[in-house]
Amino acid sequence: MAEGKKISEYGELLKHLRIDKREMLKNMAGRLGLNSSYLSAIESGDRDIPPDLTDKICVEYGLDAEERKKLKEAELNKDRKFIQIDMEKINENRLAKEVVLDFAGKAANLTDDQLEEIKKILNRS
């Protein structure tokens, strides 16, 4: 880690979870489907958080509602320049691809009410 660089809130929570569970970096990385250097870079704030990582952590480590909320909030607080979306699952669905690409291009211009409505739709069971 570069001198003077502060570890992210997300990285702190991830590292504390790993230490609390008495788990080595390589073991946690394996459980989460990552390599250890990538997980280390996430902890140090040098790499972006993959889109599904927080959910994987919550499930894999059985985090309670408060722990989930803290981790999700820390993820939201982390600045990101871009996010990579795995389109493989929807490659055959033209409408799904169109919606994902439209949203990516227009999300910044949507109102809070519109975003809340989209969020409600996405979180329906």
Side-chain angles (χ1 to χ4, degrees), residues 39-69:
L39 182 59
S40 178
I42 293 168
E43 278 189 5
S44 67
D46 292 333
R47 293 294 299 259
D48 279 333
I49 303 160
D52 60 346
L53 183 61
T54 299
D55 289 336
K56 280 183 185 177
I57 292 167
C58 291
V59 170
E60 188 66 34
Y61 290 93
L63 301 187
D64 64 30
E66 186 61 30
E67 291 169 318
R68 286 172 185 255
K69 184 179 175 184

Side-chain angles (χ1 to χ4, degrees), residues 81-92:
K81 290 182 181 165
F82 65 91
I83 187 166
Q84 191 171 8
I85 299 173
D86 181 358
M87 301 286 282
E88 187 174 348
K89 294 177 184 173
I90 63 168
N91 261 339
E92 301 303 316

Side-chain angles (χ1 to χ4, degrees), residues 10-37:
Y10 191 90
E12 283 282 338
L13 289 171
L14 193 56
K15 188 172 185 175
H16 284 294
L17 175 64
R18 184 169 54 77
I19 291 168
D20 287 347
K21 300 293 184 182
R22 295 189 167 115
E23 197 162 45
M24 293 174 49
L25 185 74
K26 70 176 186 172
N27 295 51
M28 177 180 254
R31 284 177 72 173
L32 298 173
L34 303 170
N35 66 46
S36 54
S37 62

